[in-house]
C-alpha cells in the first residue's frame, strides 16, 4: 500500500470526516454544523483537504489538489453562512448544499484511492479509468442528487414551521 506518514494521517482524519458526515445524514438528514457530527466533519475535512496538498502520487500539483482547494472553499462558505447568517432561512439551503457537495467531492478521490489499493495485492480497480470506479461514482452522484432534493424539501418544511 506504501502510504507515507502524511498519507496515513490524511487517511485517518479523512475517515473521521466521512464518519461525521454519515452520522449527520443519519441523525439529522444533513451535515449540521450546529451538532458535534457536523463540527467533526468540518474540521476533519479541513485538515484532510489541507494535508492532501502535501500528497502527490504523480508528483506536483494535480487534480486532487484542485479538489482539495475547492472543498476548502465550499466548507468555508458553508461555515460563513452558518455563523454569519444565522437568521437567514434562505442561507440554510445553500449551507446544506455546500456541505453535501463537499462531501460528494470528497468521495471522488476516496473511491479512486480505495478501489485502486484495496484489497491489498488484488485491488478492485487497476486504475482510475476502471469501469467500477465510474459506476460507483455514478451511484454516489445519484445519491447526492436525491439527497439534495430531500434536504431542500426538509429545509422548506423547517422554514415554514419557523415562519408560521
Amino acid at each position: 500500500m506504501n502510504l507515507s506518514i502524511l498519507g496515513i494521517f490524511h487517511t485517518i482524519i479523512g475517515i473521521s470526516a466521512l464518519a461525521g458526515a454519515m452520522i449527520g445524514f443519519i441523525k439529522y438528514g444533513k451535515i449540521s454544523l450546529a451538532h458535534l457530527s457536523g463540527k467533526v466533519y468540518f474540521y476533519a475535512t479541513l485538515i484532510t483537504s489541507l494535508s492532501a496538498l502535501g500528497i502527490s502520487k504523480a508528483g506536483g500539483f494535480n487534480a486532487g489538489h484542485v479538489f482539495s482547494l475547492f472543498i476548502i472553499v465550499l466548507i468555508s462558505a458553508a461555515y460563513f453562512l452558518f455563523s454569519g447568517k444565522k437568521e437567514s432561512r434562505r442561507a440554510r439551503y445553500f449551507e446544506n448544499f455546500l456541505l453535501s457537495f463537499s462531501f460528494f467531492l470528497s468521495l471522488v478521490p476516496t473511491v479512486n484511492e480505495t478501489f485502486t489499493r484495496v484489497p491489498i495485492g488484488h485491488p478492485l480497480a487497476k486504475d482510475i479509468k476502471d469501469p467500477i470506479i465510474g459506476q460507483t461514482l455514478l451511484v454516489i452522484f445519484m445519491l447526492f442528487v436525491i439527497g439534495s432534493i430531500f434536504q431542500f424539501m426538509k429545509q422548506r418544511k423547517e422554514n415554514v414551521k419557523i415562519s408560521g
Side-chain angles (χ1 to χ4, degrees):
M1 199 181 281
N2 297 338
L3 289 177
S4 66
I5 298 297
L6 180 59
I8 293 167
F9 173 77
H10 169 84
T11 301
I12 292 168
I13 301 300
I15 291 169
S16 301
L18 295 176
M22 294 307 297
I23 290 167
F25 286 132
I26 292 166
K27 285 179 89 172
Y28 312 108
K30 63 183 177 181
I31 300 169
S32 172
L33 296 176
H35 296 95
L36 179 60
S37 61
K39 291 173 183 159
V40 166
Y41 174 75
F42 175 82
Y43 290 110
T45 298
L46 180 62
I47 293 166
T48 302
S49 295
L50 290 170
S51 67
L53 297 174
I55 300 172
S56 180
K57 274 199 289 190
F61 192 77
N62 60 43
H65 297 121
V66 174
F67 265 72
S68 293
L69 292 171
F70 190 51
I71 289 167
I72 291 168
V73 169
L74 293 172
I75 64 171
S76 297
Y79 185 82
F80 168 77
L81 292 171
F82 170 74
S83 62
K85 303 285 183 183
K86 287 192 182 289
E87 301 305 319
S88 173
R89 292 188 303 264
R90 188 176 304 151
R92 299 299 69 82
Y93 292 110
F94 292 102
E95 177 188 334
N96 292 342
F97 177 79
L98 292 171
L99 290 168
S100 293
F101 190 46
S102 71
F103 178 72
F104 166 71
L105 290 180
S106 296
L107 291 176
V108 173
T110 300
V111 168
N112 289 338
E113 288 298 315
T114 302
F115 282 26
T116 57
R117 293 178 184 260
V118 176
I120 298 171
H122 299 295
L124 295 170
K126 290 182 171 76
D127 59 34
I128 64 170
K129 295 177 184 170
D130 197 300
I132 192 169
I133 291 176
Q135 293 164 354
T136 302
L137 292 175
L138 177 61
V139 169
I140 292 169
F141 178 72
M142 292 185 323
L143 290 171
F144 163 69
V145 170
I146 291 165
S148 294
I149 292 167
F150 168 76
Q151 287 177 341
F152 180 87
M153 292 170 25
K154 185 174 180 184
Q155 189 62 53
R156 187 169 53 195
K157 285 180 185 176
E158 287 179 27
N159 288 352
V160 167
K161 278 185 201 176
I162 292 169
S163 64

